[in-house]
Amino acid sequence: MLTRVSEQSQQRVVIAGAGLAGVQTAVQLREQGWEGAVTLLGAEPHRPYDRPPLSKDILLGKAGASEFEVDFRALGIELLTGCPVTALRPADREVDTPGGPVGYDHCVLATGAEPLALPGTARDPDAFLLRTLDDAHRLRRVLDKRRDVVAVGAGWIGAEFATAARAAGCRVTVVEAAAQPLAGALPAAVTEPMRQWYADAGAELLTSRTVTAVRKGAVELADGRLLPADAALIGIGSRPATAWLTGSGIPLTPDGSVRADARLRAGVPGVHAVGDCASFPSARYGSRMLVHHWDNALQGPRTVAAGILGRDALHDPVPYFWSEQFGRTVQYAGHRGEGDELVWRGSPADASWSVCWLRDGVLRALLAVDRPRDLAQGRRLIERATALDQARAADPAVPLKSAAR
């Protein structure tokens, strides 16, 4: 049943987290017609900003804070910065903050994710994380000095940091515990050719190596080697920022994410969860998904706002993300699984190429390197569960949409 306007005007939605997912939830509530109060609680002292530029232009000093272009006052959204949420008490319909409890009729959990740190490096002044605007500013000062830097982890963040550090004139070493870059995201057959990107950019990539300590002026490897390092970026992954939900009754999965349902309800009356802190069941892929990417945080708020307004909406998008590294734009759409067949479109020796993953002939996922048209067409084909002619899909001269059967 739709929530009547007269009821809405007496109710308040409290959104815990002022990143993309939280801000978009507030905006979607207004756009979809919510007439009640909306309070947005942000842990950082800054006005809400977009995160992708942190590892790109902001890190190089080419852009400012990348604040969201949202007029919170005009939309009637109460924005409280520097106000972290410390606990959720569903029985009282309240969240706790340093300034006292805040009551709600509906609560949206949008606290995102937090980067993982190596043991013993949390208080090391030479070890850096890259998740917040303040993190980016601290790292920018390091890059400005054109020093020796080490990136621990050759994932998306490690590659983007290495790209920025080389552009700034730093000597860069990237250390990865797995045998190839992006090992947690893509298979070795696809990522092994990316090893050359590091060499071409003048960055040293060390794989199958583990870091044991970050010291003053050096990073120590398990084999005893010391890498010169005026700073070390720790880019070994992230986890949902949900520790504050302990004791709340909100169900969490083993990976720490809120166990949301297909409507992004959080398992407790009046509470939804969205963005990096929440996993959801995907009928499209037949599994529970935890997607730590910008596009998921953009799409989920539509479902949450609809649910608060009493409308039935499901969240099951085709995952999508992009990365800019070593002069290339890398885009990925979909979700690959064990047994999916890999089809190359072009060669990784070429300036641009793509890879498709098919299951029973149906396109399930696609990786595109400087082939934006493949990505745009492939994303639509994945959404429609389209079967492809494999021979035509393997021909990079054939538009991907023309390979549909």
Side-chain angles (χ1 to χ4, degrees), residues 32 41 49 62 66 68 93 95-96 134 141 146 177 189 215 250 280 304 318 323 354 367 376 382 405:
Q32 294 189 33
L41 306 177
Y49 58 87
K62 296 180 180 179
S66 66
F68 292 119
R93 295 265 175 158
V95 295
D96 289 336
D134 291 338
R141 290 193 289 270
R146 295 175 172 82
R215 299 181 176 182
I250 296 291
F280 59 91
V304 170
V318 172
S323 175
S354 298
L367 174 78
I382 295 169
R405 290 193 304 199

Side-chain angles (χ1 to χ4, degrees), residues 28-52:
Q28 280 295 311
L29 282 165
R30 291 303 188 218
E31 290 188 354
Q32 294 189 33
W34 177 258
E35 297 289 341
V38 178
T39 298
L40 184 61
L41 306 177
E44 294 184 54
H46 313 288
R47 290 179 61 81
Y49 58 87
D50 209 8
R51 294 187 189 277

Side-chain angles (χ1 to χ4, degrees), residues 4-290:
R4 294 192 297 271
V5 172
S6 60
E7 295 174 346
Q8 292 177 24
S9 63
Q10 304 300 317
Q11 295 183 2
R12 173 196 258 184
V13 178
V14 170
I15 303 169
L20 176 63
V23 168
Q24 283 299 310
T25 298
V27 171
Q28 280 295 311
L29 282 165
R30 291 303 188 218
E31 290 188 354
Q32 294 189 33
W34 177 258
E35 297 289 341
V38 178
T39 298
L40 184 61
L41 306 177
E44 294 184 54
H46 313 288
R47 290 179 61 81
Y49 58 87
D50 209 8
R51 294 187 189 277
L54 295 182
S55 58
K56 304 175 181 71
D57 288 347
I58 292 177
L59 195 58
L60 288 172
K62 296 180 180 179
S66 66
E67 289 184 3
F68 292 119
E69 295 182 1
V70 175
D71 191 334
F72 296 100
R73 185 186 298 272
L75 290 173
I77 297 169
E78 180 186 24
L79 172 62
L80 300 178
T81 58
C83 187
V85 180
T86 57
L88 172 70
R89 292 182 286 107
D92 300 320
R93 295 265 175 158
E94 289 181 340
V95 295
D96 289 336
T97 74
V102 179
Y104 68 82
D105 296 282
H106 302 274
C107 181
V108 181
L109 313 178
T111 45
E114 55 192 9
L116 298 173
L118 289 172
T121 62
R123 294 181 298 276
D124 193 315
D126 295 323
F128 294 79
L129 301 173
L130 182 52
R131 179 66 182 180
T132 69
L133 183 60
D134 291 338
D135 291 337
H137 286 324
R138 284 192 290 267
L139 273 169
R140 177 189 166 189
R141 290 193 289 270
V142 172
L143 299 192
D144 285 346
K145 297 176 182 177
R146 295 175 172 82
R147 301 290 186 84
D148 293 335
V149 296
V150 171
V152 183
W156 303 111
I157 290 295
E160 291 183 0
F161 171 76
T163 300
R166 285 300 298 142
C170 297
R171 189 167 71 175
V172 179
T173 305
V174 181
V175 182
E176 170 57 50
Q180 68 276 337
L182 295 175
L186 297 167
V190 175
T191 61
E192 185 60 29
M194 297 176 181
R195 181 186 297 274
Q196 189 61 38
W197 298 0
Y198 290 78
D200 292 345
E204 183 179 13
L205 173 63
L206 303 176
T207 54
S208 301
R209 309 287 182 87
T210 56
V211 171
T212 54
V214 176
R215 299 181 176 182
K216 181 68 175 178
V219 169
E220 180 182 340
L221 305 185
D223 61 8
R225 180 178 175 183
L226 293 177
L227 304 176
D230 297 289
L233 171 76
I234 311 303
I236 56 174
S238 61
R239 62 187 172 207
T242 55
W244 67 281
L245 292 170
T246 300
S248 67
I250 296 291
L252 303 180
T253 64
D255 60 25
S257 65
V258 175
R259 190 178 183 85
D261 67 10
R263 292 166 177 79
L264 297 182
R265 296 174 299 196
V268 169
V271 182
H272 287 75
V274 66
D276 290 1
C277 72
S279 60
F280 59 91
S282 170
R284 184 190 308 275
Y285 291 105
S287 63
R288 175 162 288 274
M289 307 279 285
L290 176 60

Side-chain angles (χ1 to χ4, degrees), residues 343-346 354 356 388-398 400 403:
V343 177
W344 288 90
R345 282 175 58 78
S354 298
C356 299
L388 302 184
D389 180 287
Q390 184 168 326
R392 290 178 63 78
D395 186 347
V398 175
L400 195 57

